[in-house]
Amino acid sequence: MKLGCCYYPEHWPEDRWADDAARMAAMGLSLVRIGEFAWSRIEPEPGHFDWGWLDRAIATLHGAGLAVILGTPTATPPKWLVDRMPDMVAIDADGRPRGFGSRRHYCFSHEGYRAECRRIVTALAQRYGQHPAVVMWQTDNEYGCHDTVLSFSDAAASAFRGWLAARYGTPEALNAAWGNVFWSMEYRSFAEVDPPNLTVTEANPAHWLDYRRFASDQVAHFNREQVNIIRAHSPGRDITHNFMGFFTEFDHHDVGRDIDVATWDSYPLGFLEQFWFSRDEKAAYLRQGHPDIAAFHHDLYRGCSGGRWGVMEQQPGPVNWARFNPAPLPGMVALWTLEACAHGAELTSYFRWRQAPFAQEQMHAGLLRPDSTEAEAAPEVRKAAARLAGIGPQVTARAPAALVFSYEAAWAVGIQPQGQSFRYLELVFECYSALRERGLDVDIVAPSADLSGYRMVLVPTLPIIPDGFAETLAGLISPVLIGPRSGSKTASFSIPEDLAPGALKAAIPLAVTRVESLRDGIAEPAEGFAVTRWREDVTSGLSPEITDGAGRGVVYRHGPIRYCAIWPDRALLRLLVERMAGEAGVDLFDLPEGVRVRRTGSHVFTFNYGAEPVAVPHIGATLAPASCHIAPR
Ligand code: GAL
């Protein structure tokens, strides 16, 4: 795994570049990502390019032995461009334009902006496509960051109408699919259809689902345009995009198919603070992040682009954007680096080289402080680089457990939660954690993945069953767990004719006759677990394998396949993982709290995410807080 950093030569006087580059190389870095926000310096006036500074910056980095990842600058269109076509900005759900003065102020559907992106990407790719320093391209920056996937602009509305016409052919077909007879919502032509925002009460969930699918396709298409241009002018170079954490607004499997390496931006402390974790977890892992946050995304993104992935931005210290921004425990930056390697990353790049003293992110740490002295992370990077050199290249093997992840499932649950604490990402994360805390390695895969080589398969929930998926599950001989709400919707967001789990009846014979959701704090006790959040009534010829306190079925089993009819709490997940592993003959570990294990082809990595030293039986040693033990397998 190579190490790198994110660098902004345009932020610093040119006479500092050579020293920066030399220090990067001395720290053990070999990659530098640049350029992704530099449009106003690359093209200060319309049609007038200033390549000089970028030529010299790349030459300086190259001269120090560093390879360059060059970003396309399309996340930050300059002011002159926005003034030339003011309708290129996205419109938010309340109908307000997303103005100039930060970043990502564009609508994916605006044809004029797309043409500008093709123009700037072509110019960049022509100039640097064959440059010996440029080894990888990054398209744009974090598609969707700051809530920018959905736009409700005229450009989006008109593109949506075209998308609907292509999907449904006739307005009658659309009306039938969406059930528009309800509340007299029928359309006579596609031209009559608007985006689903600004309705009096909720819009039709089928309307929302198609709007989300459409918006996701727009992101993929926007990205594909850049990829095609780069491939033409820069053959043989890898293309990546830097995805985000806990983010499901577009289908990353779709975008992942078009690029070579899926990278993501890892900010474990910010994510712990911003997402659903309990107060206790936020306190226990304040300076480390929950032990599964980074690993979850590593395993997710490894499955998004054919196995090649990396970390484009690694948190090096306090960030600026969470509600609270603690500093990592000493050792954590090295631990995060080694954890990425253990999951098969080909690069980890720190964000950013030097903390900026100006503008929005001046409170965001870097490897250097604004005065160029080394920040706390710098010696850890050197240490991590030395340990990586010591173990050599790592190979990733297929994990024993597969977790099926679907972006469409996240949209379906989000559009119609039915109970506000039914959160898709949380459910998947809990399943992941239940596997990881018993020492299992996990591959997070798309529903279309080949599941046949896995020893156990978990489908946390999959409301819309893709063609062929039920048959795939029915053909597996390994234990499978299917979570609640699976098969509960058709592709056009209706209840299946024969009730949930719809097509999944091919895998397990049962029908869901009623669902209920429970408010936070309600926990109806059962033996060894509790019913919280969600419960389904099931009729089936099968007798339940597990029941609740009142004797109602909770888990049904048909051969190797189980269906869970409630939101599975941690205790139930633990029990199910044990049963499935027992049936599959997979060994489990009794790991102390906060300890995680990950195997590569040659090594076993053991991590202590705890803030205290902990005795770890399988290595026969005590692990210091925020430390990693590496042993040959
Ligand atoms: C990422 C983004 C970077 C920077 C960073 C700060 O979301 O890609 O440009 O803003 O966060 O943590």
Short mmCIF file of all heavy atoms in Angstrom, two decimals, residues 384-445:
data_model
loop_
_atom_site.label_atom_id
_atom_site.label_comp_id
_atom_site.label_asym_id
_atom_site.label_seq_id
_atom_site.Cartn_x
_atom_site.Cartn_y
_atom_site.Cartn_z
N ALA A 384 4.04 4.30 10.46
CA ALA A 384 3.20 3.41 9.65
C ALA A 384 3.93 3.01 8.37
O ALA A 384 3.89 1.85 7.95
CB ALA A 384 1.86 4.09 9.32
N ALA A 385 4.62 3.98 7.77
CA ALA A 385 5.35 3.68 6.53
C ALA A 385 6.40 2.60 6.79
O ALA A 385 6.57 1.67 6.00
CB ALA A 385 6.01 4.95 5.99
N ALA A 386 7.08 2.70 7.93
CA ALA A 386 8.11 1.71 8.25
C ALA A 386 7.48 0.33 8.47
O ALA A 386 8.01 -0.70 8.01
CB ALA A 386 8.88 2.15 9.49
N ARG A 387 6.35 0.29 9.15
CA ARG A 387 5.72 -1.02 9.39
C ARG A 387 5.21 -1.64 8.09
O ARG A 387 5.29 -2.85 7.88
CB ARG A 387 4.58 -0.89 10.40
CG ARG A 387 5.11 -0.58 11.80
CD ARG A 387 4.02 -0.72 12.83
NE ARG A 387 3.78 -2.10 13.23
CZ ARG A 387 2.80 -2.45 14.06
NH1 ARG A 387 1.97 -1.54 14.55
NH2 ARG A 387 2.64 -3.72 14.40
N LEU A 388 4.68 -0.79 7.21
CA LEU A 388 4.21 -1.31 5.93
C LEU A 388 5.37 -1.89 5.13
O LEU A 388 5.25 -2.95 4.52
CB LEU A 388 3.53 -0.19 5.12
CG LEU A 388 2.18 0.28 5.66
CD1 LEU A 388 1.73 1.55 4.94
CD2 LEU A 388 1.12 -0.82 5.51
N ALA A 389 6.49 -1.17 5.16
CA ALA A 389 7.66 -1.66 4.43
C ALA A 389 8.10 -3.01 5.01
O ALA A 389 8.49 -3.92 4.28
CB ALA A 389 8.79 -0.65 4.52
N GLY A 390 7.96 -3.15 6.32
CA GLY A 390 8.38 -4.38 6.98
C GLY A 390 7.55 -5.59 6.58
O GLY A 390 8.09 -6.70 6.50
N ILE A 391 6.27 -5.41 6.33
CA ILE A 391 5.43 -6.60 6.03
C ILE A 391 5.32 -6.86 4.53
O ILE A 391 4.90 -7.94 4.13
CB ILE A 391 4.02 -6.49 6.65
CG1 ILE A 391 3.32 -5.21 6.20
CG2 ILE A 391 4.09 -6.57 8.17
CD1 ILE A 391 1.86 -5.14 6.62
N GLY A 392 5.66 -5.88 3.71
CA GLY A 392 5.59 -6.10 2.25
C GLY A 392 4.17 -6.10 1.74
O GLY A 392 3.22 -5.89 2.49
N PRO A 393 4.02 -6.37 0.43
CA PRO A 393 2.69 -6.29 -0.20
C PRO A 393 1.73 -7.34 0.38
O PRO A 393 2.15 -8.45 0.71
CB PRO A 393 2.96 -6.59 -1.67
CG PRO A 393 4.44 -6.55 -1.85
CD PRO A 393 5.08 -6.71 -0.51
N GLN A 394 0.48 -6.96 0.51
CA GLN A 394 -0.53 -7.86 1.07
C GLN A 394 -1.55 -8.25 -0.01
O GLN A 394 -1.87 -7.44 -0.88
CB GLN A 394 -1.26 -7.16 2.23
CG GLN A 394 -0.34 -6.73 3.35
CD GLN A 394 0.25 -7.91 4.09
OE1 GLN A 394 -0.47 -8.78 4.57
NE2 GLN A 394 1.58 -7.96 4.18
N VAL A 395 -2.06 -9.46 0.10
CA VAL A 395 -3.05 -9.93 -0.86
C VAL A 395 -4.38 -10.13 -0.13
O VAL A 395 -4.39 -10.58 1.01
CB VAL A 395 -2.60 -11.29 -1.47
CG1 VAL A 395 -3.61 -11.78 -2.49
CG2 VAL A 395 -1.22 -11.15 -2.09
N THR A 396 -5.47 -9.75 -0.77
CA THR A 396 -6.78 -9.91 -0.14
C THR A 396 -7.47 -11.18 -0.63
O THR A 396 -7.58 -11.39 -1.84
CB THR A 396 -7.69 -8.72 -0.48
OG1 THR A 396 -7.03 -7.54 -0.06
CG2 THR A 396 -9.03 -8.81 0.22
N ALA A 397 -7.90 -12.00 0.30
CA ALA A 397 -8.62 -13.22 -0.08
C ALA A 397 -10.12 -12.98 0.09
O ALA A 397 -10.53 -12.04 0.74
CB ALA A 397 -8.17 -14.36 0.81
N ARG A 398 -10.93 -13.84 -0.51
CA ARG A 398 -12.38 -13.77 -0.31
C ARG A 398 -12.68 -13.99 1.17
O ARG A 398 -12.13 -14.89 1.80
CB ARG A 398 -13.04 -14.87 -1.14
CG ARG A 398 -14.54 -14.94 -1.00
CD ARG A 398 -15.06 -16.11 -1.82
NE ARG A 398 -15.23 -15.72 -3.22
CZ ARG A 398 -16.43 -15.46 -3.76
NH1 ARG A 398 -17.53 -15.56 -3.05
NH2 ARG A 398 -16.53 -15.11 -5.02
N ALA A 399 -13.56 -13.17 1.73
CA ALA A 399 -13.91 -13.31 3.15
C ALA A 399 -14.90 -14.45 3.32
O ALA A 399 -15.58 -14.83 2.37
CB ALA A 399 -14.53 -12.00 3.65
N PRO A 400 -15.01 -15.00 4.53
CA PRO A 400 -16.01 -16.05 4.74
C PRO A 400 -17.46 -15.53 4.67
O PRO A 400 -18.36 -16.26 4.25
CB PRO A 400 -15.70 -16.60 6.13
CG PRO A 400 -14.82 -15.59 6.78
CD PRO A 400 -14.14 -14.82 5.70
N ALA A 401 -17.66 -14.28 5.07
CA ALA A 401 -19.04 -13.78 5.15
C ALA A 401 -19.29 -12.69 4.11
O ALA A 401 -18.45 -11.83 3.88
CB ALA A 401 -19.30 -13.22 6.54
N ALA A 402 -20.46 -12.75 3.49
CA ALA A 402 -20.87 -11.69 2.56
C ALA A 402 -22.05 -10.95 3.16
O ALA A 402 -22.96 -11.54 3.75
CB ALA A 402 -21.28 -12.28 1.21
N LEU A 403 -22.01 -9.63 3.00
CA LEU A 403 -23.10 -8.77 3.46
C LEU A 403 -23.61 -8.06 2.21
O LEU A 403 -22.84 -7.40 1.51
CB LEU A 403 -22.51 -7.77 4.46
CG LEU A 403 -23.42 -6.89 5.28
CD1 LEU A 403 -24.36 -7.74 6.12
CD2 LEU A 403 -22.56 -6.03 6.23
N VAL A 404 -24.89 -8.22 1.91
CA VAL A 404 -25.42 -7.67 0.66
C VAL A 404 -25.88 -6.23 0.89
O VAL A 404 -26.70 -5.96 1.78
CB VAL A 404 -26.58 -8.54 0.14
CG1 VAL A 404 -27.23 -7.89 -1.09
CG2 VAL A 404 -26.07 -9.94 -0.21
N PHE A 405 -25.33 -5.34 0.11
CA PHE A 405 -25.58 -3.90 0.27
C PHE A 405 -26.24 -3.38 -0.99
O PHE A 405 -25.77 -3.62 -2.10
CB PHE A 405 -24.26 -3.17 0.49
CG PHE A 405 -24.42 -1.75 0.95
CD1 PHE A 405 -24.40 -1.43 2.30
CD2 PHE A 405 -24.62 -0.71 0.04
CE1 PHE A 405 -24.56 -0.12 2.73
CE2 PHE A 405 -24.79 0.61 0.46
CZ PHE A 405 -24.75 0.90 1.82
N SER A 406 -27.32 -2.61 -0.82
CA SER A 406 -28.04 -2.08 -1.98
C SER A 406 -28.38 -0.62 -1.77
O SER A 406 -29.01 -0.25 -0.78
CB SER A 406 -29.32 -2.89 -2.19
OG SER A 406 -30.28 -2.13 -2.89
N TYR A 407 -27.94 0.21 -2.70
CA TYR A 407 -28.27 1.64 -2.61
C TYR A 407 -29.76 1.86 -2.80
O TYR A 407 -30.37 2.70 -2.13
CB TYR A 407 -27.43 2.43 -3.63
CG TYR A 407 -25.98 2.45 -3.18
CD1 TYR A 407 -25.09 1.44 -3.54
CD2 TYR A 407 -25.54 3.43 -2.30
CE1 TYR A 407 -23.78 1.44 -3.08
CE2 TYR A 407 -24.23 3.43 -1.83
CZ TYR A 407 -23.36 2.44 -2.22
OH TYR A 407 -22.08 2.43 -1.73
N GLU A 408 -30.36 1.07 -3.69
CA GLU A 408 -31.81 1.20 -3.89
C GLU A 408 -32.57 0.85 -2.61
O GLU A 408 -33.59 1.48 -2.29
CB GLU A 408 -32.25 0.29 -5.05
CG GLU A 408 -33.69 0.50 -5.46
CD GLU A 408 -34.06 -0.38 -6.63
OE1 GLU A 408 -34.10 -1.63 -6.46
OE2 GLU A 408 -34.31 0.16 -7.72
N ALA A 409 -32.05 -0.11 -1.86
CA ALA A 409 -32.69 -0.46 -0.58
C ALA A 409 -32.64 0.74 0.37
O ALA A 409 -33.62 1.04 1.08
CB ALA A 409 -32.00 -1.66 0.05
N ALA A 410 -31.51 1.45 0.37
CA ALA A 410 -31.39 2.63 1.24
C ALA A 410 -32.43 3.68 0.84
O ALA A 410 -33.06 4.31 1.69
CB ALA A 410 -29.98 3.21 1.15
N TRP A 411 -32.63 3.85 -0.47
CA TRP A 411 -33.62 4.85 -0.92
C TRP A 411 -35.02 4.41 -0.52
O TRP A 411 -35.82 5.22 -0.04
CB TRP A 411 -33.57 5.03 -2.44
CG TRP A 411 -32.22 5.34 -2.98
CD1 TRP A 411 -31.17 5.93 -2.30
CD2 TRP A 411 -31.72 5.06 -4.29
NE1 TRP A 411 -30.08 6.04 -3.12
CE2 TRP A 411 -30.38 5.52 -4.35
CE3 TRP A 411 -32.27 4.47 -5.44
CZ2 TRP A 411 -29.59 5.40 -5.49
CZ3 TRP A 411 -31.49 4.36 -6.59
CH2 TRP A 411 -30.16 4.82 -6.61
N ALA A 412 -35.33 3.13 -0.73
CA ALA A 412 -36.69 2.65 -0.45
C ALA A 412 -37.02 2.85 1.03
O ALA A 412 -38.10 3.34 1.38
CB ALA A 412 -36.82 1.19 -0.85
N VAL A 413 -36.09 2.49 1.90
CA VAL A 413 -36.33 2.63 3.34
C VAL A 413 -36.42 4.11 3.72
O VAL A 413 -37.25 4.51 4.54
CB VAL A 413 -35.22 1.90 4.14
CG1 VAL A 413 -35.29 2.26 5.61
CG2 VAL A 413 -35.33 0.39 3.95
N GLY A 414 -35.57 4.93 3.11
CA GLY A 414 -35.57 6.35 3.43
C GLY A 414 -36.83 7.06 2.95
O GLY A 414 -37.32 7.99 3.60
N ILE A 415 -37.35 6.64 1.81
CA ILE A 415 -38.54 7.29 1.25
C ILE A 415 -39.76 6.97 2.11
O ILE A 415 -40.63 7.80 2.31
CB ILE A 415 -38.75 6.81 -0.21
CG1 ILE A 415 -37.70 7.46 -1.12
CG2 ILE A 415 -40.17 7.13 -0.70
CD1 ILE A 415 -37.61 6.85 -2.51
N GLN A 416 -39.82 5.74 2.59
CA GLN A 416 -40.99 5.33 3.38
C GLN A 416 -40.53 4.58 4.63
O GLN A 416 -40.65 3.37 4.71
CB GLN A 416 -41.89 4.42 2.51
CG GLN A 416 -43.25 4.18 3.09
CD GLN A 416 -44.02 3.24 2.16
OE1 GLN A 416 -43.72 2.07 2.05
NE2 GLN A 416 -45.04 3.79 1.50
N PRO A 417 -39.99 5.32 5.61
CA PRO A 417 -39.44 4.61 6.78
C PRO A 417 -40.51 3.85 7.58
O PRO A 417 -40.24 2.82 8.16
CB PRO A 417 -38.82 5.72 7.63
CG PRO A 417 -39.08 7.01 6.94
CD PRO A 417 -39.84 6.77 5.68
N GLN A 418 -41.69 4.39 7.64
CA GLN A 418 -42.82 3.79 8.37
C GLN A 418 -42.59 3.80 9.87
O GLN A 418 -43.53 3.84 10.64
CB GLN A 418 -43.11 2.37 7.83
CG GLN A 418 -44.26 1.63 8.49
CD GLN A 418 -45.63 2.24 8.18
OE1 GLN A 418 -45.75 3.15 7.37
NE2 GLN A 418 -46.67 1.76 8.86
N GLY A 419 -41.37 3.78 10.30
CA GLY A 419 -41.00 3.99 11.69
C GLY A 419 -39.69 4.75 11.62
O GLY A 419 -38.78 4.34 10.91
N GLN A 420 -39.59 5.87 12.33
CA GLN A 420 -38.46 6.75 12.01
C GLN A 420 -37.10 6.20 12.42
O GLN A 420 -36.08 6.69 11.96
CB GLN A 420 -38.67 8.16 12.58
CG GLN A 420 -38.62 8.24 14.08
CD GLN A 420 -38.71 9.71 14.55
OE1 GLN A 420 -39.21 10.56 13.84
NE2 GLN A 420 -38.22 9.96 15.74
N SER A 421 -37.07 5.18 13.28
CA SER A 421 -35.76 4.64 13.64
C SER A 421 -35.37 3.43 12.78
O SER A 421 -34.38 2.77 13.08
CB SER A 421 -35.69 4.32 15.13
OG SER A 421 -36.83 3.61 15.51
N PHE A 422 -36.12 3.16 11.73
CA PHE A 422 -35.70 2.11 10.79
C PHE A 422 -34.75 2.76 9.79
O PHE A 422 -35.17 3.37 8.83
CB PHE A 422 -36.89 1.47 10.08
CG PHE A 422 -36.56 0.12 9.50
CD1 PHE A 422 -37.16 -1.04 10.01
CD2 PHE A 422 -35.65 -0.01 8.47
CE1 PHE A 422 -36.84 -2.30 9.50
CE2 PHE A 422 -35.33 -1.27 7.95
CZ PHE A 422 -35.93 -2.41 8.47
N ARG A 423 -33.47 2.65 10.08
CA ARG A 423 -32.46 3.31 9.25
C ARG A 423 -31.62 2.24 8.53
O ARG A 423 -31.03 1.38 9.18
CB ARG A 423 -31.54 4.19 10.11
CG ARG A 423 -32.22 5.46 10.60
CD ARG A 423 -31.27 6.30 11.43
NE ARG A 423 -31.08 5.75 12.76
CZ ARG A 423 -31.78 6.11 13.85
NH1 ARG A 423 -32.70 7.06 13.76
NH2 ARG A 423 -31.55 5.54 15.01
N TYR A 424 -31.58 2.35 7.22
CA TYR A 424 -30.90 1.32 6.43
C TYR A 424 -29.44 1.16 6.83
O TYR A 424 -28.97 0.07 7.12
CB TYR A 424 -31.02 1.64 4.93
CG TYR A 424 -30.32 0.60 4.09
CD1 TYR A 424 -30.86 -0.68 3.94
CD2 TYR A 424 -29.09 0.85 3.49
CE1 TYR A 424 -30.21 -1.66 3.21
CE2 TYR A 424 -28.43 -0.12 2.75
CZ TYR A 424 -29.00 -1.37 2.62
OH TYR A 424 -28.34 -2.34 1.90
N LEU A 425 -28.71 2.29 6.80
CA LEU A 425 -27.27 2.18 7.07
C LEU A 425 -26.99 1.61 8.45
O LEU A 425 -26.06 0.84 8.64
CB LEU A 425 -26.61 3.56 6.94
CG LEU A 425 -26.14 3.95 5.54
CD1 LEU A 425 -25.72 5.41 5.51
CD2 LEU A 425 -25.00 3.06 5.08
N GLU A 426 -27.82 2.00 9.40
CA GLU A 426 -27.61 1.50 10.75
C GLU A 426 -27.82 -0.01 10.81
O GLU A 426 -27.06 -0.74 11.45
CB GLU A 426 -28.55 2.22 11.73
CG GLU A 426 -28.28 1.83 13.18
CD GLU A 426 -29.17 2.55 14.18
OE1 GLU A 426 -29.87 3.51 13.77
OE2 GLU A 426 -29.17 2.15 15.35
N LEU A 427 -28.85 -0.48 10.13
CA LEU A 427 -29.14 -1.92 10.12
C LEU A 427 -27.97 -2.69 9.50
O LEU A 427 -27.51 -3.71 10.04
CB LEU A 427 -30.44 -2.19 9.36
CG LEU A 427 -30.86 -3.66 9.23
CD1 LEU A 427 -31.05 -4.32 10.58
CD2 LEU A 427 -32.15 -3.77 8.40
N VAL A 428 -27.48 -2.21 8.37
CA VAL A 428 -26.37 -2.91 7.71
C VAL A 428 -25.13 -2.86 8.60
O VAL A 428 -24.42 -3.86 8.76
CB VAL A 428 -26.06 -2.27 6.33
CG1 VAL A 428 -24.92 -3.01 5.66
CG2 VAL A 428 -27.29 -2.30 5.44
N PHE A 429 -24.90 -1.71 9.20
CA PHE A 429 -23.73 -1.54 10.05
C PHE A 429 -23.80 -2.49 11.26
O PHE A 429 -22.80 -3.08 11.66
CB PHE A 429 -23.62 -0.09 10.51
CG PHE A 429 -22.35 0.23 11.23
CD1 PHE A 429 -21.20 0.56 10.53
CD2 PHE A 429 -22.29 0.21 12.62
CE1 PHE A 429 -20.01 0.86 11.20
CE2 PHE A 429 -21.11 0.50 13.29
CZ PHE A 429 -19.97 0.82 12.58
N GLU A 430 -24.99 -2.63 11.84
CA GLU A 430 -25.15 -3.53 12.99
C GLU A 430 -24.86 -4.97 12.58
O GLU A 430 -24.26 -5.73 13.34
CB GLU A 430 -26.57 -3.41 13.57
CG GLU A 430 -26.79 -2.11 14.33
CD GLU A 430 -25.93 -2.00 15.59
OE1 GLU A 430 -25.65 -3.03 16.23
OE2 GLU A 430 -25.50 -0.87 15.92
N CYS A 431 -25.32 -5.35 11.41
CA CYS A 431 -25.04 -6.72 10.93
C CYS A 431 -23.53 -6.89 10.75
O CYS A 431 -22.94 -7.92 11.12
CB CYS A 431 -25.74 -6.99 9.60
SG CYS A 431 -27.53 -7.10 9.74
N TYR A 432 -22.91 -5.87 10.16
CA TYR A 432 -21.46 -5.91 9.94
C TYR A 432 -20.73 -6.05 11.27
O TYR A 432 -19.85 -6.91 11.44
CB TYR A 432 -21.04 -4.63 9.20
CG TYR A 432 -19.56 -4.54 8.93
CD1 TYR A 432 -19.01 -5.21 7.84
CD2 TYR A 432 -18.72 -3.78 9.74
CE1 TYR A 432 -17.64 -5.13 7.57
CE2 TYR A 432 -17.36 -3.70 9.48
CZ TYR A 432 -16.82 -4.38 8.40
OH TYR A 432 -15.48 -4.29 8.15
N SER A 433 -21.12 -5.22 12.23
CA SER A 433 -20.48 -5.25 13.55
C SER A 433 -20.62 -6.61 14.21
O SER A 433 -19.69 -7.09 14.87
CB SER A 433 -21.14 -4.22 14.47
OG SER A 433 -20.39 -3.07 14.52
N ALA A 434 -21.80 -7.21 14.06
CA ALA A 434 -22.03 -8.51 14.70
C ALA A 434 -21.07 -9.55 14.15
O ALA A 434 -20.64 -10.47 14.87
CB ALA A 434 -23.48 -8.95 14.48
N LEU A 435 -20.72 -9.44 12.88
CA LEU A 435 -19.74 -10.36 12.29
C LEU A 435 -18.33 -10.01 12.73
O LEU A 435 -17.53 -10.86 13.10
CB LEU A 435 -19.83 -10.29 10.76
CG LEU A 435 -21.16 -10.76 10.14
CD1 LEU A 435 -21.29 -10.26 8.70
CD2 LEU A 435 -21.27 -12.28 10.20
N ARG A 436 -18.02 -8.71 12.70
CA ARG A 436 -16.66 -8.27 12.99
C ARG A 436 -16.28 -8.48 14.46
O ARG A 436 -15.13 -8.75 14.77
CB ARG A 436 -16.49 -6.79 12.60
CG ARG A 436 -16.65 -6.51 11.11
CD ARG A 436 -15.49 -7.00 10.29
NE ARG A 436 -14.28 -6.32 10.68
CZ ARG A 436 -13.08 -6.92 10.76
NH1 ARG A 436 -12.96 -8.21 10.49
NH2 ARG A 436 -12.01 -6.24 11.10
N GLU A 437 -17.24 -8.32 15.37
CA GLU A 437 -16.87 -8.47 16.78
C GLU A 437 -16.62 -9.94 17.13
O GLU A 437 -16.08 -10.22 18.19
CB GLU A 437 -17.90 -7.81 17.71
CG GLU A 437 -19.25 -8.46 17.70
CD GLU A 437 -20.26 -7.70 18.55
OE1 GLU A 437 -20.05 -6.52 18.86
OE2 GLU A 437 -21.28 -8.33 18.90
N ARG A 438 -16.96 -10.87 16.24
CA ARG A 438 -16.60 -12.27 16.44
C ARG A 438 -15.40 -12.66 15.57
O ARG A 438 -15.16 -13.83 15.33
CB ARG A 438 -17.80 -13.19 16.15
CG ARG A 438 -18.99 -12.96 17.07
CD ARG A 438 -18.66 -13.01 18.56
NE ARG A 438 -17.95 -14.20 19.01
CZ ARG A 438 -18.53 -15.35 19.33
NH1 ARG A 438 -19.84 -15.47 19.29
NH2 ARG A 438 -17.80 -16.38 19.73
N GLY A 439 -14.73 -11.66 15.05
CA GLY A 439 -13.47 -11.92 14.34
C GLY A 439 -13.62 -12.35 12.89
O GLY A 439 -12.65 -12.82 12.29
N LEU A 440 -14.82 -12.19 12.32
CA LEU A 440 -15.00 -12.61 10.92
C LEU A 440 -14.60 -11.51 9.95
O LEU A 440 -14.90 -10.33 10.17
CB LEU A 440 -16.47 -12.98 10.68
CG LEU A 440 -16.94 -14.28 11.32
CD1 LEU A 440 -18.45 -14.43 11.17
CD2 LEU A 440 -16.23 -15.46 10.67
N ASP A 441 -13.96 -11.87 8.86
CA ASP A 441 -13.72 -10.95 7.76
C ASP A 441 -14.98 -10.93 6.89
O ASP A 441 -15.67 -11.95 6.76
CB ASP A 441 -12.53 -11.42 6.92
CG ASP A 441 -11.22 -11.30 7.68
OD1 ASP A 441 -11.19 -10.55 8.68
OD2 ASP A 441 -10.25 -11.97 7.30
N VAL A 442 -15.26 -9.78 6.31
CA VAL A 442 -16.53 -9.60 5.60
C VAL A 442 -16.28 -8.95 4.24
O VAL A 442 -15.48 -8.02 4.13
CB VAL A 442 -17.47 -8.67 6.42
CG1 VAL A 442 -18.81 -8.47 5.72
CG2 VAL A 442 -17.68 -9.22 7.83
N ASP A 443 -16.97 -9.42 3.22
CA ASP A 443 -17.04 -8.71 1.94
C ASP A 443 -18.43 -8.08 1.85
O ASP A 443 -19.44 -8.78 2.03
CB ASP A 443 -16.88 -9.68 0.76
CG ASP A 443 -15.45 -10.18 0.60
OD1 ASP A 443 -14.53 -9.58 1.20
OD2 ASP A 443 -15.25 -11.17 -0.13
N ILE A 444 -18.48 -6.80 1.58
CA ILE A 444 -19.78 -6.14 1.39
C ILE A 444 -20.01 -6.05 -0.11
O ILE A 444 -19.19 -5.46 -0.83
CB ILE A 444 -19.79 -4.75 2.06
CG1 ILE A 444 -19.47 -4.89 3.55
CG2 ILE A 444 -21.14 -4.08 1.84
CD1 ILE A 444 -19.49 -3.59 4.34
N VAL A 445 -21.08 -6.67 -0.57
CA VAL A 445 -21.23 -6.87 -2.02
C VAL A 445 -22.57 -6.37 -2.52
O VAL A 445 -23.55 -6.26 -1.76
CB VAL A 445 -21.07 -8.37 -2.38
CG1 VAL A 445 -19.69 -8.88 -1.97
CG2 VAL A 445 -22.16 -9.22 -1.74
#
